[in-house]
Every structure is written in C-alpha cells, then in structure tokens.
Amino acid sequence: MMDVLNQNGMAEAIRTYVENDRPFLGICLGLQLLFESSTENGHVSGLGLIPGVVGRFDSSDGCRVPHIGWNALQIEKDSVILDDVANRHVYFVHSYRAVPSEENKEWVSSICNYGVDFISSIRRGNVHAVQFHPEKSGDVGLSILRNFLLPSSSMTKKPFEGKAKKLAKRVIACLDVRTNDSGDLVVTKGDQYDVREQTKENEVRNLGKPVELAGQYYTDGADEVSFLNITGFRDFPLGDLPMLQILKKTSENVFVPLTVGGGIRDFTDGNGRYYSSLEVASEYFRSGADKISIGSDAVYAAEEYIKTGVKTGKSSLEQISRVYGNQAVVVSIDPRRQYLTSPFEVGFKSVEVSNLGPNGEEYAWYQCTVNGGREGRPIGAYELAKAVEELGAGEILLNCIDCDGQGKGFDIDLIKLISDAVSIPVIASSGAGTVEHFSEVFKQTNASAALAAGIFHRKEVPIQSVKEHLLKEGIEVRM
Ligand code: 1PR
C-alpha cells in the first residue's frame, strides 16, 4: 500500500490532508499506514503521523493468528463515530496491529484485547481510523459509517449497551452453489457430498436462490456467509459469471464477511489464454468476497511441499496470500474417515476414535480428497493442515464427508486433532443437527467458528436459537 501511495504522490497528499484536520476515516491498513512503520514485508515506513510501529500478533501469547472474528472494544475517549458501539462486537481480520503507548495516547479512542491490548481505533479532531471493518460489522458498523458521514445524526440516538467482552465464537451459514440441470445456479445440499435427489429423475437438490438466502442469513444473525461453488473444480470460475454476479449482488446488502470457494487454480481456456489463480481470486475479491477458499489445489500444493520441503511461492495458496495477506485465504479440507485397527497401519497421523468403526476398529485417519470428495489422495487432514499453515493459509474450513448432511453432530475427534495442530483459526463444519451440537464443538475443541448448511436451509434450527443457546452455555457470541 505504501509503495502505491508513494509512487502516485498520494502519501504526501494524505499526510497534508490529515495534518490539516480534514475529515478522514482509515480502515484496517488505513489505520496502520498512519504510524511510523510496519514490520509486514520487512520494514516499511508509514506516513509517520502517529508514534509507534505496527507489528505482528504473537501466537505464543496463546492466540491464533490471524485475529479473525468479532471482538469487543474498550472505549478510551469520546469518539463521535463510536457513540453507538459501547460493548458491542465488531469484525476484525488482521495479523498486524499497533499497540497503545504513552507517546500515542492522545490518538487512541478505543483498544481491544487479543492476547495483548492493541489499538482498535484512533481519533484526533476530524481524523478517525479503525483497525476493524465497519463495512463488515453488521448494524453496528453501519452506524459507525453513518456517524462519520453525518456527525450530527449520532447526537439524536440513544446508545445501545451491549455485553461483549472478548472474541466471540462465530456461527457461519454455508451455501453450496452449483448449476442445476436446467442451467440455473441454485443452493444445493448433499448427504455425504451427494447432492442429487434419490429419485428416478436424480435431480440436483434445490434449496433456494443464493442471493436471497444469503440476505436472509445476514438478517438472522449469521456472523459470516460462505459460498462454495461445488463444481468449480471442473468449470472455469471466470467463465461462471453468475457466481461473480451473486457476490456483487449479495455484498450490496450483506454487511458481514463473505467467503467464496470453488475452482481457484491456474487455468488455460479453450483459446490457450492462461489465467493464474491470483487473477481468479482477484476477480472474486473485486466482486465482493472478503476471503477466498481453496480446496483441491491446496491438497496438491501441500503434497508437493511435503515431498520436496521447498516453498516454490508458485502455488495458488502462496501467490494469493502474498498479495492479499494470509487472513484472506481459507483452505477448505474435505476429509473422509478411514478406520484402522492399529495407529501404525499407515504413515499418517491417526486418532483413537470416540465411536468404534464398523468392524470394531479403534483408530482412524482422515484421508484428504479432491474434486468434491471424488478422489482420495495420499495425505491426511493433519499433514495437510500443518503444511498449508506453513504455505500461508490464514484459516481452515474443516469439513468431514462422513458427517456432511447427517445432522448427528460434528466430528469432534477430527476437529480436536486439527484445531490442536495449527495456530490459525479452524472452522468446524459438517453434521450440525441441533443447537447442542454447537456448544459441544466449542466446549470440546479449539474451533473458532462452527458452520452449518442443511439445518439453516431447511429452517429446522434458526441461527438466533443457536446463539441464544451458546450464550446460555456461557459461550461468547455476537448478538
Ligand atoms: O476443490 O477448490 O474447487 O473447492 C470446492 C469446494 O466445494 C470445497 O470447499 C469443497 O468442500 C466444496 N464441495 C465440493 N463438492 C461438494 C459437495 O457437497 N458435493 N461441498 C462440496 C462441501 C461441505 C460443506 C457443507 C457442510 C455443512 N460441502 O460446505 O456445507 O458439510 O453441511 P451440513 O451442515 O448440512 O452438514 P475446489
């Protein structure tokens, strides 16, 4: 960012603008650039308006890095734009932060705690900046933007006092999207990844329209919405313009983070034109995605990395995280449970299972698959998770083919194995059937978020009742 601002002369223009106390609102990197320097990408000088250096969170403080999710602000001083925000959650997604000090005290308007106290917003006169994303923080975020644009409107409203104290566990709604046999893009849902009706016609199950459902889940209180283009592995996503349209339309009305996955890889079209995975991802980001999710291509990259021990920098995972940051890259894992009689039967990490296998097996390993579960690969979920963390993934979306669509609960053995193995956030997915399944996964594993599809699509369990249950169980959630 600083390179671009320096090249086009904007660095000096912004410095003068801020020094003249003109109305300014920096968001995320827009806050960080006001400091003296940052350690991201080596040492980079900032605009130098606020004393301090922007550094990386330290995962040895016991916190997962990146810091992703809804966290609580501690207001330090009056700030017109934060008038309605007291003790509410706002959405953060970052690995670097600035810390409060005697020297920058006069700028700090709120702090947030994540292992350490860091600066969540600054204010001096008309100059504001926030580390979180108001544009992704639901109603609270919209009120911040409104207060910045129309400062007098904030005087008329009574502030709403929330009860937020710390980073909330996230509840994510997932929409598996694909084209049905009549050529319409629909939300579908599989049973162990089989999305076709068990009828003579064998149609693709149709559970609704993607944009409408995403809007509904936003209103219902989903903390994030994920779209997975489940046939992306065989179609070319940039040829699949409806998916880009869905993202554009959804992001007009949905003010929580959007993740999109499916088909992110290098591709050569029928005319011999080559598209890098970075171009594909960039198109998704430009259309409104906040994070992209990589499935099959991450498996191949991890296999190669484990074989050679060399980070080539060329995999989609490495290229996209280098340009957009680790926090923007999710790796979606589609493992299938393989039972074992002894943990030494395979060279992959196994677990002692809570429920014995069909032949009384006491152990299992989790085999990664590609192409929507169609092909098993010679790599386990544990080995994959550790490799993709090293290659630059910022988060893991952990599915389980055996549990998908079964409504019998998450695979706790698998989620425990992976969430204990990595220091990036893990999203538990597949198998939610009741509100109790959510409290179970958060109490028994270190998952940062839980994702469900079928129970929300079939309106069996509303998102709000999941959150009320979690709250009752003493688990912090965003309300
Ligand atoms: O390999 O990079 O093209 O990505 C393809 C993406 O599509 C991957 O993220 C993969 O998980 C997903 N995918 C591929 N085929 C299917 C399928 O269902 N046939 N869906 C599929 C994955 C799993 C979750 C589901 C949860 C929760 N679906 O998305 O939403 O299991 O469901 P539940 O709450 O109903 O149990 P690439």
Side-chain angles (χ1 to χ4, degrees):
M1 183 177 193
M2 283 310 300
D3 282 350
V4 172
L5 294 180
N6 284 324
Q7 275 160 22
N8 63 19
M10 284 300 285
E12 204 39 53
I14 296 174
R15 195 178 287 116
T16 310
Y17 185 89
V18 168
E19 278 168 351
N20 289 338
D21 195 28
R22 306 287 307 280
F24 177 91
L25 175 59
I27 295 177
C28 194
L29 212 46
L31 172 140
Q32 298 182 0
L33 73 88
L34 299 173
F35 285 82
E36 288 166 303
S37 64
S38 164
T39 60
E40 187 166 7
N41 283 335
H43 173 95
V44 177
S45 295
L47 295 178
L49 293 159
I50 306 179
V53 175
V54 177
R56 197 168 200 273
F57 280 113
D58 189 349
S59 50
S60 62
D61 288 335
C63 292
R64 288 167 193 272
V65 183
H67 173 219
I68 299 182
W70 299 78
N71 207 334
L73 304 183
Q74 260 166 262
I75 308 289
E76 294 288 291
K77 71 168 181 207
D78 279 356
S79 168
V80 190
I81 65 165
L82 301 181
D83 277 356
D84 307 326
V85 178
N87 304 321
R88 307 281 306 272
H89 286 109
V90 289
Y91 184 77
F92 290 88
V93 54
H94 59 133
S95 301
Y96 289 77
R97 83 287 178 269
V99 289
S101 67
E102 250 336 285
E103 291 72 44
N104 58 36
K105 202 162 121 196
E106 59 165 321
W107 287 89
V108 178
S109 56
S110 74
I111 55 171
C112 177
N113 185 277
Y114 190 61
V116 290
D117 282 344
F118 69 91
I119 298 175
S120 42
S121 66
I122 59 114
R123 187 234 168 142
R124 198 162 82 172
N126 289 316
V127 176
H128 301 267
V130 292
Q131 179 59 66
F132 54 90
H133 287 265
E135 79 286 10
K136 294 288 159 186
S137 296
D139 287 347
V140 176
L142 295 182
S143 92
I144 292 172
L145 295 175
R146 201 176 299 116
N147 290 347
F148 172 71
L149 293 168
L150 309 163
S152 56
S153 72
S154 65
M155 316 297 276
T156 56
K157 272 214 259 118
K158 240 173 91 201
F160 171 85
E161 280 277 330
K163 293 193 175 120
K165 289 196 186 67
K166 57 178 184 187
L167 185 69
K169 296 288 185 184
R170 285 170 280 154
V171 177
I172 302 177
C174 181
L175 293 88
D176 289 350
V177 177
R178 64 160 286 170
T179 316
N180 66 10
D181 301 322
S182 351
D184 302 320
L185 215 53
V186 297
V187 175
T188 188
K189 183 68 213 76
D191 264 331
Q192 301 185 323
Y193 283 34
D194 181 0
V195 297
R196 290 191 177 266
E197 301 279 9
Q198 301 303 311
T199 56
K200 204 164 92 252
E201 290 75 26
N202 207 222
E203 292 159 329
V204 170
R205 233 173 258 140
N206 180 348
L207 289 160
K209 296 188 178 156
V211 179
E212 272 174 29
L213 270 186
Q216 184 62 51
Y217 295 146
Y218 168 62
T219 315
D220 293 349
D223 296 317
E224 279 181 46
V225 174
S226 294
F227 289 107
L228 296 178
N229 183 355
I230 66 169
T231 48
F233 69 88
R234 59 169 179 244
D235 309 328
F236 176 49
L238 295 191
D240 194 1
L241 288 174
M243 193 65 209
L244 299 177
Q245 291 302 329
I246 284 175
L247 276 173
K248 283 184 186 149
K249 285 231 157 58
T250 304
S251 53
E252 282 170 15
N253 298 306
V254 172
F255 303 106
V256 292
L258 298 178
T259 301
V260 64
I264 296 178
R265 64 197 149 93
D266 297 341
F267 187 87
T268 304
D269 70 12
N271 302 322
R273 161 110 159 61
Y274 168 79
Y275 297 85
S276 72
S277 53
L278 183 60
E279 282 176 75
V280 179
S282 300
E283 204 52 54
Y284 277 146
F285 287 126
R286 273 194 287 272
S287 302
D290 299 285
K291 300 187 259 187
I292 55 91
S293 158
I294 309 175
S296 308
D297 211 45
V299 178
Y300 302 128
E303 284 181 22
E304 189 61 22
Y305 175 53
I306 290 170
K307 199 167 82 194
T308 61
V310 178
K311 291 184 194 169
T312 61
K314 291 192 179 136
S315 66
S316 52
L317 177 50
E318 291 163 285
Q319 288 189 46
I320 301 167
S321 62
R322 191 168 52 241
V323 174
Y324 288 93
N326 304 21
Q327 81 296 329
V329 181
V330 182
V331 165
S332 166
I333 313 185
D334 301 309
R336 186 175 273 124
R337 204 183 299 132
Q338 303 290 1
Y339 288 104
L340 301 168
T341 43
S342 142
F344 307 111
E345 238 174 87
V346 287
F348 307 107
K349 181 92 171 169
S350 60
V351 290
E352 205 175 332
V353 287
S354 310
N355 299 308
L356 299 184
N359 302 307
E361 296 93 338
E362 291 176 23
Y363 301 91
W365 71 288
Y366 289 90
Q367 182 181 23
C368 292
T369 65
V370 291
N371 301 347
R374 286 168 182 79
E375 183 192 337
R377 299 292 306 179
I379 182 169
Y382 175 90
E383 289 76 18
L384 180 92
K386 293 193 78 79
V388 297
E389 176 175 25
E390 284 183 40
L391 291 173
E395 195 168 39
I396 286 175
L397 164 53
L398 185 57
N399 303 294
C400 176
I401 298 181
D402 308 80
C403 298
D404 174 56
Q406 304 305 296
K408 294 188 186 139
F410 296 96
D411 188 322
I412 301 290
D413 297 333
L414 168 67
I415 297 160
K416 222 167 142 10
L417 174 74
I418 304 301
S419 62
D420 289 345
V422 293
S423 61
I424 52 179
V426 172
I427 303 168
S429 164
S430 304
T434 64
V435 293
E436 286 78 14
H437 291 150
F438 289 84
S439 48
E440 184 183 62
V441 78
F442 288 134
K443 283 183 180 172
Q444 296 188 21
T445 77
N446 285 313
S448 301
L451 171 152
I455 51 166
F456 297 150
H457 302 336
R458 295 187 300 268
K459 304 194 181 356
E460 290 162 5
V461 178
I463 294 172
Q464 269 312 309
S465 52
V466 173
K467 292 198 159 180
E468 279 159 22
H469 169 76
L470 290 173
L471 213 55
K472 220 168 65 212
E473 292 293 309
I475 296 165
E476 178 122 355
V477 288
R478 172 185 76 109
M479 293 306 274

